[in-house]
Amino acid sequence: MSFPWAKEYKPSHPFMVYLDEKLPVPRLVYNSLGAGYPVPRNINYLWNFGILAIVCLTIQIVTGVVLAMHYAANEAVAFGSVESIMRDVNWGWLLRYAHANGASAFFVVIYIHIFRGFYFGSYKPPREMVWLLGVVIFLLLMATAFMGYVLPWGQMSYWGAQVITGLFSAIPLIGNALHEWLLGGFAPGNAALNRFFSLHYLLPFVIVGAVVLHIWALHIPGSSNPTGVDVKTESDTIPFFPYFIAKDGWAVGAFLFLYCGLVFFFPNALGHPDNYIPANPMSTPAHIVPEWYFWPFYAILRAFTQDFFFVPAKLMGVLAMFSAILVWFFMPWLDRSPIRSGNYRPLFRKFFWALVVDVAVLGYCGGSPAAEPYVMISQIAAMYYFLHFFVILPIVSTIEKTDPLPSSITEAVLGHGESAAPVGLPDSAPGLPA
Ligand code: HEM
């Protein structure tokens, strides 16, 4: 957003003046990450998770590209090549643990980023395009993570691929043909492993492209904030540099501290021990589970146990599982309240926390065996999940009595009747024009 008070980039060094004329990259950086980008002064730590997602994506790409230098996508040697990375390649154990746990860290960050959006109504106009691109990114992320998990060619890799690609066979008429086409055979094998590796390498770069669009779309209206009230005056904002660069830097430090704790001290805590057994098509594990970040959706898939007239249970499960994410595309239209932030919506707030508990229950059931009481609990929780989006949200957004909003961001920060001087740039800081 170019607020009228945004600082303009004025290069002083002759080389920077030349570059600004020919290829204005420094201007782009100044206007999107620098002093030229005013940001609401009240955004809290939940607004750090977008940057953290970029950090995760970077870690995944860097470690992944180096892992690929040692990995062999062939069913005869894939498992052994991963073992060799762990034992023979210098620092290979670190690369692999950093990548595997990096995926988990990425999903923790993304789930917080998404639920921040749910709570603060970040999907509402004028940011609906930011949200829609976010949902596309999430779908790409899930596909990438699924295909990555197949690559070590352990028991869970193999049987996970078997179950998930098998879902497509539930589609009437074309299902079986589609299933075979996806795998390049009747069961996961060399063809499937090769194409999954190829796509697992490609998709992160597609995600990078989608993230560029996501941030571009965000920079048109600018960031929202915990009050949901629009920026009105200069005193409602502070420049991104140095204030939010410093705050994001702190968050990145805290994140890396926790992430390194996971990688160095609990590297296998989130993985499944069966994936240290080489893939064996002749031995089905007693309990096939995907990685933890898929559990809520896996629980929805398994909640359908009975055919409904001529519609098979499996087909309903597949449709419900995909709908559980696709419904997010409609958030800007399902929630019609003009008030964005959950801080001023007492009824919405209760249902928001009920949804958080519901998703946690679904996650717990998805990671548990497909037996009672988990199946029944999944059925109730899955029903509530869809009730939340299709019934509760539209009704609450039309009937609820909201709390009074502050008249401005400045008032929310400093209290009623106070006024604030615009926060400009500090007198001196590295990189600032003298
Ligand atoms: C690779 C994944 C992603 C990256 C790197 C990313 C990056 C970012 C960044 C840097 C911001 C600005 C800082 C912030 O508000 O936290 C942002 C904002 C936002 N993101 Fe994402 N994002 C990702 C995925 C998603 C997903 C999956 C969704 C939703 C389904 C989403 C929805 C949003 C929304 C609505 C905003 C604007 C928030 C506001 O200003 O209130 N993002 N994202």
Side-chain angles (χ1 to χ4, degrees), residues 140-154:
L140 289 170
L141 209 58
M142 291 191 103
T144 310
F146 161 68
M147 286 187 271
Y149 195 57
V150 177
L151 304 184
W153 213 238

Side-chain angles (χ1 to χ4, degrees), residues 46-51 53-54 57 106 110 113-114 116 122-123 127 130-131 134-135 137-138 141 207 211 214-215 218 222-225 328:
L46 289 169
W47 267 258
N48 289 120
F49 282 82
I51 295 291
I54 294 178
L57 186 57
F106 205 163
I110 281 297
H113 189 66
I114 294 173
R116 182 279 312 258
S122 301
Y123 45 81
R127 292 175 195 81
V130 186
W131 176 261
V135 183
I137 294 174
F138 185 68
L141 209 58
I207 294 176
V211 168
H214 183 66
I215 295 173
L218 175 69
S223 281
S224 181
N225 67 86
W328 298 353

